[in-house]
């Protein structure tokens, strides 16, 4: 298992956004109060994720209490590399959202997705697909419920 799997879900979502270029290298990140509602999590969860990304060398300290995205050469962990199967799973979930098979606000868990996705996949593929959907604004992590909530596909980032 790669070291990126040991960091929190929120940190993995932010890392995915950074690797996709949604949050470019050298840019100052918005503060926790701005990031929390866009990710659908608490400010405390964002604060923890920022600390984890800072410890991994992905973020550096910017002016004041701001965080700046560091160049990849400074990262101490590899960026995420979704597998082909996890991309297929993400596409399948995305299609279920657009066809309203999955409704906004519905809880997605590994167990219920494994039964609904028509692709052979394992827990890691589903996990990675959910992180990708969350990075796109199509799902929000729900740590207490051990799953993700379906977002509104019309509000995709």
């Amino acid at each position: 298992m790669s070291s990126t799997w040991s960091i929190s879900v929120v940190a993995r979502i932010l890392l995915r956004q950074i690797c996709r270029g949604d949050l470019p290298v050298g840019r100052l990140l918005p503060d926790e109060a701005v990031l929390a509602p866009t990710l659908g999590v608490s400010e405390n969860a964002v604060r923890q994720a920022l600390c984890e990304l800072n410890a991994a060398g992905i973020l550096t300290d910017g002016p004041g209490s701001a965080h700046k995205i560091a160049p990849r050469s400074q990262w101490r962990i590899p960026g995420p590399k979704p597998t082909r199967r996890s991309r297929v799973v993400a596409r399948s979930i995305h299609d279920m959202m657009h066809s309203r098979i999955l409704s906004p606000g519905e809880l997605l868990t590994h167990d219920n997705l494994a039964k609904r996705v028509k692709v052979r996949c394992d827990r890691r593929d589903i996990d990675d697909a959910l992180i990708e959907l969350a990075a796109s604004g199509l799902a929000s992590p729900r740590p207490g419920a051990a799953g993700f909530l379906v977002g509104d596909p019309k509000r995709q980032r």
Side-chain angles (χ1 to χ4, degrees), residues 93-119:
I93 297 168
H94 185 267
D95 291 346
M96 286 190 283
M97 289 175 174
H98 277 282
S99 62
R100 298 288 185 201
I101 293 169
L102 296 173
S103 305
E106 185 174 340
L107 182 65
L108 301 175
T109 65
H110 293 96
D111 293 337
N112 69 21
L113 284 173
K115 295 172 188 168
R116 296 170 92 169
V117 173
K118 304 289 189 245
V119 198

Side-chain angles (χ1 to χ4, degrees), residues 8 83 85 133:
S8 72
T83 64
R85 278 194 307 184
L133 292 169

Side-chain angles (χ1 to χ4, degrees), residues 27-131:
R27 178 179 174 190
L28 289 176
L29 285 180
D31 65 15
E32 293 107 5
V34 174
L35 285 172
T38 63
L39 296 171
V41 297
S42 69
E43 287 183 36
N44 191 43
V46 172
R47 195 172 303 113
Q48 176 190 349
L50 295 176
C51 288
E52 291 174 24
L53 293 174
N54 201 348
I58 295 161
L59 300 178
T60 60
D61 294 329
S65 61
H67 296 278
K68 186 176 177 181
I69 301 170
R72 280 189 184 238
S73 60
Q74 294 178 12
W75 296 9
R76 290 187 282 285
I77 63 171
K81 293 186 178 163
T83 64
R84 183 184 159 288
R85 278 194 307 184
S86 67
R87 288 191 303 270
V88 170
V89 170
R91 182 81 234 165
S92 177
I93 297 168
H94 185 267
D95 291 346
M96 286 190 283
M97 289 175 174
H98 277 282
S99 62
R100 298 288 185 201
I101 293 169
L102 296 173
S103 305
E106 185 174 340
L107 182 65
L108 301 175
T109 65
H110 293 96
D111 293 337
N112 69 21
L113 284 173
K115 295 172 188 168
R116 296 170 92 169
V117 173
K118 304 289 189 245
V119 198
R120 199 174 129 221
C121 60
D122 60 23
R123 189 173 186 89
R124 183 175 173 178
D125 296 325
I126 293 171
D127 207 25
D128 203 37
L130 289 169
I131 295 294

Side-chain angles (χ1 to χ4, degrees), residues 134-150:
S136 299
L138 291 172
S140 303
R142 289 292 170 241
F148 287 71
L149 291 180
V150 175

